[in-house]
Amino acid sequence: MIGGELKGAFRGETRRSLRSGFGVYQYSNPFFRYEGTWHEGKKHGFGKLLFGDGSYYQGEFVDNEIIGQGTRYFATSRNTYTGQFYYGEMDGQGRLRLGNGDCYEGNFKSNHFEGEGSYLSHNKELYTGTWHQHRRHGQGEQTYADETHYIGDWIADKRHGFGKLTNGLDNTVIYEGSWRNDLMHGEGTYSIGESYTYRNAMLVNSYPIGWPFRLCINKNKSSTLQLTEQPLTITIDIVDSSENSNRVKADCGRLIRLRCGHRTNQPTSDSLPTPFGFHVNLIPRNTKSSSLDDQPTLESNDESESVEHSMLTASDSGRAQFVGITVDTFAIRLASTSEQSSSTNTNRQKDKSTSSFVFIIDDVTHPVPFDKSLEAVYIPVQFSMPKISQ
């Protein structure tokens, strides 16, 4: 055993009874062993200090101290540092490769990341910027595994101050504004997808002021829609959760869908459940209706829902509108006639209430802003029976 042979012993060159030149020294503590150059009895120049657990330092020594350029390998963690040392500590420019595959390259101070440096994780997340006591601190850029990219202020390893988060795939801005404690906080603009923007408004802990929002139909008007042959405009406001239900003018580009349903007591697999304990069957749009000429056509993101049952519109300044709605926008006349016929066959009342029809208005924005779609609203629909074809 080499350690046993050299225990407490030196083998190598000497000068005036002092170790000078190249030599190997086994410390009295067998955990340590040095191989390298000496000067006047001290480790000086280039050498290798080996540890009993398999760790080692290899590099420059000055007057018995680890000072200068070298490499330090830590057997337990499998970390490897190559760079500058000062009195045995990582200090100055260097590169630290961690056992898990992460890598930091930049400036060190007393074994900590300090100053300018870059950190690349094993899952390809990259930070480049300033550090303080091993934490991201100051100005920096971070690329995440989902390919989003942040550039801005950091404090104590968290996004804090002003910063911009972008989608690395198409370089679109997701959020630009104030941050606090790693969350969107303060005034800023949040965008997601091709259309949605929460513009120049306040957020608290990554959510808008007054969150959650909700849909409000024809505010301060009747809760039941009266359909006739005269075109009707349905106004949908996106309102906050405050007592006054204030319209959120910062909310823009939210995709709102309108569908018409017919209440049924015999639901099928195609029927839609409602929060009120009953199901509805969707009524198709009447494509021959001329009342829809002024309504913009938008593409649905819900591939499972046929567009023949839907109308779509986008909000602007917290408001969306469906223009030109009449009794003929959806095939309500046909559905009502079918209902009356069915009622006759089953000895039900022939003057079935028109409130069995309902408009379903919901939020189908995709991707979903703030990870939560607004809850659907249901509004009863009535119309004049004499105008229905028999």
Side-chain angles (χ1 to χ4, degrees):
M1 177 179 174
I2 295 178
E5 295 174 353
L6 301 180
K7 184 176 182 179
F10 171 77
R11 291 193 311 184
E13 299 173 305
T14 61
R15 184 179 182 183
R16 293 193 299 270
S17 299
L18 295 175
R19 305 178 188 112
S20 293
F22 182 83
V24 177
Y25 181 75
Q26 178 69 49
Y27 289 76
S28 57
N29 182 346
F31 191 80
F32 303 100
R33 169 190 169 102
Y34 174 75
E35 303 172 354
T37 57
W38 299 76
H39 179 69
E40 295 184 351
K42 296 180 179 180
K43 299 184 287 291
H44 191 90
F46 188 86
K48 186 174 185 179
L49 181 64
L50 299 98
F51 303 86
D53 64 352
S55 302
Y56 65 84
Y57 166 79
Q58 181 172 290
E60 296 176 324
F61 288 80
V62 176
D63 290 336
N64 247 3
E65 300 291 346
I66 296 176
I67 297 177
Q69 190 75 16
T71 297
R72 177 79 158 89
Y73 173 70
F74 302 84
T76 302
S77 62
R78 296 182 292 112
N79 296 345
T80 302
Y81 170 78
T82 300
Q84 295 175 314
F85 286 83
Y86 187 70
Y87 284 94
E89 293 185 330
M90 298 177 286
D91 200 292
Q93 287 293 311
R95 176 186 293 173
L96 177 64
R97 293 188 178 276
L98 282 70
N100 66 352
D102 293 2
C103 180
Y104 170 83
E105 186 169 0
N107 198 63
F108 288 78
K109 185 67 176 179
S110 301
N111 286 335
H112 289 91
F113 307 157
E114 188 74 26
E116 294 291 327
S118 296
Y119 190 101
L120 179 64
S121 69
H122 61 280
N123 60 348
K124 305 306 180 185
E125 293 192 338
L126 173 65
Y127 172 81
T128 301
T130 57
W131 299 77
H132 179 60
Q133 294 185 349
H134 233 60
R135 295 179 176 181
R136 293 166 290 188
H137 193 92
Q139 280 284 316
E141 300 183 34
Q142 174 79 54
T143 300
Y144 298 94
D146 63 0
E147 299 194 59
T148 56
H149 179 81
Y150 172 83
I151 179 170
D153 299 325
W154 298 79
I155 291 181
D157 223 29
K158 296 183 183 296
R159 294 169 291 189
H160 195 109
F162 184 86
K164 180 168 67 173
L165 182 68
T166 59
N167 185 333
L169 296 177
D170 55 16
N171 207 35
T172 55
V173 177
I174 298 173
Y175 176 74
E176 184 171 12
S178 297
W179 297 75
R180 190 180 76 174
N181 200 29
D182 221 29
L183 298 173
M184 297 179 288
H185 192 98
E187 184 173 350
T189 295
Y190 168 90
S191 302
I192 191 168
E194 296 181 357
S195 63
Y196 181 80
T197 301
Y198 181 74
R199 189 166 49 207
N200 298 327
M202 297 296 294
L203 295 99
V204 175
N205 296 334
S206 289
Y207 289 98
I209 291 286
W211 184 261
F213 300 155
R214 62 184 180 85
L215 300 176
C216 180
I217 311 302
N218 292 348
K219 189 176 181 180
N220 300 325
K221 294 184 180 180
S222 172
S223 59
T224 300
L225 287 178
Q226 301 288 337
L227 292 186
T228 68
E229 293 180 343
Q230 296 300 313
L232 171 72
T233 296
I234 301 177
T235 300
I236 302 99
D237 284 347
I238 291 89
V239 300
D240 62 22
S241 57
S242 68
E243 183 177 347
N244 295 327
S245 297
N246 299 311
R247 176 157 64 101
V248 185
K249 294 183 180 180
D251 195 280
C252 303
R254 190 180 292 275
L255 189 60
I256 306 299
R257 176 174 60 180
L258 169 66
R259 293 175 294 175
C260 184
H262 183 198
R263 182 169 177 169
T264 178
N265 294 321
Q266 296 178 330
T268 67
S269 58
D270 294 327
S271 302
L272 296 181
T274 71
F276 311 107
F278 61 84
H279 288 68
V280 295
N281 293 328
L282 291 180
I283 298 174
R285 286 173 54 184
N286 188 347
T287 56
K288 295 182 180 180
S289 173
S290 60
S291 62
L292 302 181
D293 293 343
D294 295 331
Q295 183 67 34
T297 301
L298 299 174
E299 183 177 347
S300 173
N301 290 299
D302 188 353
E303 296 180 357
S304 64
E305 180 64 51
S306 173
V307 295
E308 69 176 6
H309 293 105
S310 306
M311 296 179 66
L312 298 169
T313 189
S315 68
D316 183 35
S317 299
R319 174 166 289 173
Q321 290 187 322
F322 290 98
V323 180
I325 306 297
T326 73
V327 69
D328 292 318
T329 299
F330 294 90
I332 294 178
R333 296 177 187 264
L334 180 61
S336 181
T337 301
S338 174
E339 178 188 32
Q340 290 182 1
S341 175
S342 175
S343 299
T344 301
N345 293 336
T346 57
N347 295 321
R348 296 179 181 177
Q349 293 181 349
K350 295 184 180 181
D351 57 342
K352 194 75 171 178
S353 171
T354 57
S355 63
S356 61
F357 293 92
V358 62
F359 275 172
I360 307 163
I361 301 174
D362 57 359
D363 171 20
V364 291
T365 313
H366 183 80
V368 179
F370 304 106
D371 300 321
K372 186 181 189 306
S373 295
L374 307 189
E375 292 185 2
V377 293
Y378 301 79
I379 185 165
V381 177
Q382 292 184 351
F383 47 86
S384 301
M385 292 299 289
K387 294 186 178 182
I388 300 175
S389 302
Q390 299 296 324

